[in-house]
Amino acid sequence: ILPMYIVILAMIPLAMALARIDPRLVLLTSVALWLWSGTGQVNLPAEWWFANGSTRGWFFNPFAWQMVFFTGFAFQSGWLPAPPVRPWLLALAAAFVILTLPLAWHVSIGTFDWIRQWRDDWGMLISKTDLGLLRYLHFLSLAYLAWAAAGPAGERLARLGSLATVLSRVGQQSLAVFMTSMVLARLLGVGLDVFGRGFVATAAINLAGIACITGIAYFVGWLKTEPWRNAARTSAEGLGSAPAVRWRTSSTRC
């Protein structure tokens, strides 16, 4: 995921250059690149050395997944208008999420032959590597439902009070939280193996994980305030005022 994100970030200068001409060019280029990647003709090699003739590409093709990124980028930049909140749109988005659930749920996949057959026949629609169309529509549906639930400028989230503050802080430090959780998940998994997977053990270990990543989010947020600079500035101001105090003292003695 992180290498994919780096490649997508490298596309931003080109996107901004196109936006200077017309923001619609960014959207058209993004869609064209996504369509091209779906043909299997564009990806990055996962093994530069091509050991044993390997032509394996990146599991997350950045030239496909960029469309999710630039969709959000376009909304945030004002290139796309905010969608209206309409009951029928909410119902449509919710229905899409619910009706496509059996196509991705391991229980239904393992139970029904027709679902497995459908996934084999229409794999390009659910491709994770090249961001199949259904995955993109699923993202749009979830994003729309979440955006509508949050309310204008997130006013409904603000009603959650301190909980909203904590959730926002974790979201703002998502990179640090993600990197920490990759290691933490392994350690907590060991805890589940040792203490069992009963309700109490599972709940306790998950709560411990939540507490850890929340603590990391606050710690990284504190580091980003650069507290050492404030300390150095305070120290410098103190040293700067010292000679003046000594001068006034000597002056008074005279």
Side-chain angles (χ1 to χ4, degrees), residues 21-235:
I21 302 173
D22 192 326
R24 289 174 293 185
L25 288 176
V26 180
L27 304 177
L28 289 174
T29 302
S30 178
V31 172
L33 195 56
W34 171 71
L35 291 173
W36 186 24
S37 67
T39 65
Q41 297 179 0
V42 57
N43 198 344
L44 295 175
E47 301 170 76
W48 286 103
W49 51 93
F50 293 104
N52 301 321
S54 170
T55 57
R56 183 170 62 90
W58 284 20
F59 183 75
F60 289 107
N61 186 344
F63 302 108
W65 281 88
Q66 52 77 28
M67 196 164 72
V68 170
F69 177 87
F70 282 110
T71 298
F73 197 94
F75 278 116
Q76 185 66 24
S77 301
W79 301 340
L80 288 175
V85 178
R86 298 286 187 269
W88 69 270
L89 280 176
L90 292 171
L92 182 63
F96 182 85
V97 171
I98 294 172
L99 293 177
T100 56
L101 180 61
L103 302 177
W105 190 26
H106 68 93
V107 174
S108 57
I109 293 173
T111 303
F112 300 104
D113 292 335
W114 70 268
I115 292 182
R116 292 194 295 273
Q117 186 63 48
W118 186 93
R119 289 174 59 88
D120 290 338
D121 294 341
W122 298 94
M124 72 282 195
L125 294 178
I126 57 174
S127 171
K128 186 172 288 188
T129 292
D130 296 317
L131 184 62
L133 177 61
L134 287 183
R135 290 189 180 274
Y136 181 68
L137 294 178
H138 187 266
F139 157 73
L140 291 180
S141 298
L142 283 179
Y144 178 71
L145 291 173
W147 176 76
E155 65 178 17
R156 294 194 186 94
L157 291 179
R159 297 173 189 171
L160 298 176
S162 58
L163 178 59
T165 302
V166 172
L167 293 175
S168 298
R169 182 62 59 88
V170 173
Q172 290 164 359
Q173 310 303 334
S174 56
L175 179 58
V177 167
F178 172 73
M179 296 298 291
T180 301
S181 65
M182 290 177 67
V183 179
L184 189 61
R186 296 288 184 177
L187 298 177
L188 296 179
V190 172
L192 289 173
D193 291 337
V194 172
F195 298 106
R197 299 173 185 274
F199 176 81
V200 175
T202 301
I205 288 176
N206 276 278
L207 289 173
I210 292 173
C212 286
I213 62 176
T214 301
I216 286 293
Y218 273 87
F219 175 67
V220 172
W222 175 75
L223 288 179
K224 288 183 177 181
T225 64
E226 300 181 345
W228 53 88
R229 290 184 180 272
N230 294 330
R233 187 180 302 111
T234 301
S235 177

